[in-house]
Amino acid sequence: MDPGNVEPGGSRPIVVRVPVEPVEAVVEADAIDAVARAGAPVVRGPLFGVAEQRAGDAPRWRVVIEVTSSCPRQARDGLNSWLWFRAKDHAQDRAERRALLAAVSRLESERVDDLAVAGVRYRVVRAEEYAGAGPDGIEQPRPTDPEPLVPDWARTAKVPGIDEGLVVDPDAPVTPTQAVEQLAMRGLCYTGARFPDDVCADARRALDTHPDVLLLPATFTVAERGGTGWSPVSGPHATAHEARKSLDFALTWMWPRMHGMIPPGAGAHVDARTGAADGERAARLAAYAGAADSLRVGRVNQLELDGTLYQIVRTRRLLRWGPDGPEGPRPSDVNTQEPTRIHLTLDEDGNVQPSD
């Protein structure tokens, strides 16, 4: 993909505010340093979620299904569940429940990306995921990115939700570095022979239909460096610490089981730190446990194990925006499967049908 120098028509003016609070000023200074180090963005591809708009909200939309799904189908299934549980637990009367269940029925049989039900408009939204890159490689977490004062490594600890309560407002003031990034990414477009013609055509069309760019909060993921470059080994997380926790879990619990170091029948409490083994398996378990322990020394963002470098990567997401709000899925976006039923039948009183 190429940010280019496209200047699409019909763009909304960007309202810039200069940070005056001390914490905001430090964050902005940190962002300026990141811009100075940055090279061309590394673009991974689209992500999908769901936003809603209620009466009087325009032009704002509120994210209700986090924008982290890798295909539109997953976001539609998320909307299906959102509406099904609203019908089951929150509908005010039979009429509202019927409307909600009718929307669920459509999502079970059609590729629906925009629908209005019970006074709320829902849309499957499409974001582009990318990361900053420079002479030192892909960007790691910044010093001012949120971190817990006391890191909690418990797997049952409550974690912040990605995009939880996020309101996306195209008229909201942004900082100078955010404005620069928005302007720089307006012309982001798929180019090159490795992209199919329909993908490139949809990307070019989006420059006109959705000329503006809004930035979503940064996310953090674990990536590994192989012979062909970097590839993700975890999904996105709301904080760098949560990404480290996911790497800790992989090192101590998941990978030892996948690689035969811990037998499949071992209890859930058994991991690389507590598992009993001998010989080569014991040495490998110790190496995995040692790598995980190194994460807990401080804000560690890189470690090497068995010749593979793992890194906590700071990932970014942008929404394209047009006169009618955020961009939805493009015709060329790939769906993993066709629409299907994913929930039991409810009657008009919100009861699950026994026959199911």
Side-chain angles (χ1 to χ4, degrees):
M1 299 182 76
D2 176 17
N5 294 306
V6 180
E7 187 67 23
S11 297
R12 303 175 75 100
I14 298 177
V15 181
V16 179
R17 63 176 179 84
V18 177
V20 294
E21 295 294 330
V23 173
E24 280 190 322
V26 172
V27 171
E28 182 69 359
D30 197 14
I32 291 172
D33 290 343
V35 170
R37 296 190 302 267
V42 178
V43 181
R44 182 182 175 191
L47 294 173
F48 303 88
V50 177
E52 71 169 23
Q53 187 182 66
R54 297 172 180 266
D57 284 349
R60 299 176 299 278
W61 290 72
R62 183 171 70 93
V63 175
V64 294
I65 306 292
E66 61 186 32
V67 188
T68 58
S69 296
S70 58
C71 86
R73 180 69 229 159
Q74 294 170 331
R76 294 187 199 107
D77 284 346
L79 177 57
N80 185 326
S81 292
W82 178 273
L83 296 175
W84 190 90
F85 280 105
R86 184 176 169 187
K88 179 177 179 295
D89 299 325
H90 303 293
Q92 299 298 310
D93 51 39
R94 286 184 171 184
E96 181 179 352
R97 185 171 289 112
R98 281 196 298 268
L100 291 164
L101 293 177
V104 168
S105 180
R106 286 192 63 194
L107 287 162
E108 291 174 345
S109 58
E110 304 174 37
R111 291 185 179 179
V112 183
D113 293 324
D114 203 320
L115 59 86
V117 54
V120 183
R121 187 179 180 188
Y122 296 95
R123 176 175 295 174
V124 176
V125 299
R126 181 190 197 277
E128 211 70 68
E129 185 182 32
Y130 62 102
D136 298 327
I138 298 182
E139 185 180 17
Q140 299 180 31
R142 299 174 183 174
T144 51
D145 285 327
E147 296 270 9
L149 293 177
V150 179
D152 187 344
W153 293 91
R155 292 169 189 164
T156 57
K158 179 175 173 56
V159 300
I162 297 175
D163 300 333
E164 186 174 338
L166 177 64
V167 175
V168 188
D169 183 355
D171 295 331
V174 298
T175 67
T177 56
Q178 290 170 337
V180 168
E181 188 169 354
Q182 286 182 346
L183 289 171
M185 302 302 286
R186 274 184 179 177
L188 187 71
C189 185
Y190 291 98
T191 59
R194 67 191 182 98
F195 295 106
D197 291 343
D198 60 339
V199 171
C200 293
D202 283 349
R204 290 191 299 269
R205 187 178 306 111
L207 297 179
D208 294 324
T209 60
H210 296 81
D212 295 311
V213 163
L214 272 66
L215 304 179
L216 299 180
T219 55
F220 304 86
T221 188
V222 181
E224 66 177 13
R225 189 171 68 187
T228 57
W230 292 93
S231 58
V233 295
S234 80
H237 300 273
T239 67
H241 178 67
E242 290 306 317
R244 295 185 199 106
K245 281 177 63 175
S246 74
L247 181 55
D248 176 90
F249 175 76
L251 289 166
T252 59
W253 199 96
M254 185 171 64
W255 292 347
R257 283 169 168 76
M258 290 173 57
H259 300 153
M261 289 177 276
I262 294 178
H269 65 283
V270 177
D271 62 19
R273 296 185 176 92
T274 61
D278 53 23
E280 182 182 350
R281 282 199 307 156
R284 294 185 67 197
L285 277 178
Y288 275 60
D293 288 343
S294 71
L295 288 172
R296 304 194 178 200
V297 174
R299 295 183 179 181
V300 175
N301 294 320
Q302 277 190 340
L303 65 82
E304 188 169 354
L305 178 66
D306 293 340
T308 299
L309 180 66
Y310 298 95
Q311 178 172 307
I312 308 302
V313 173
R314 187 183 200 272
T315 46
R316 294 183 247 173
R317 299 166 296 158
L318 64 84
L319 276 177
R320 298 207 72 91
W321 200 275
D324 193 37
E327 182 185 19
R330 299 172 183 173
S332 57
D333 288 326
V334 177
N335 289 273
T336 54
Q337 66 180 50
E338 292 302 311
T340 187
R341 183 183 179 196
I342 61 174
H343 284 290
L344 302 175
T345 301
L346 290 177
D347 65 18
E348 290 188 345
D349 296 312
N351 300 311
V352 175
Q353 293 299 289
S355 59
D356 283 351

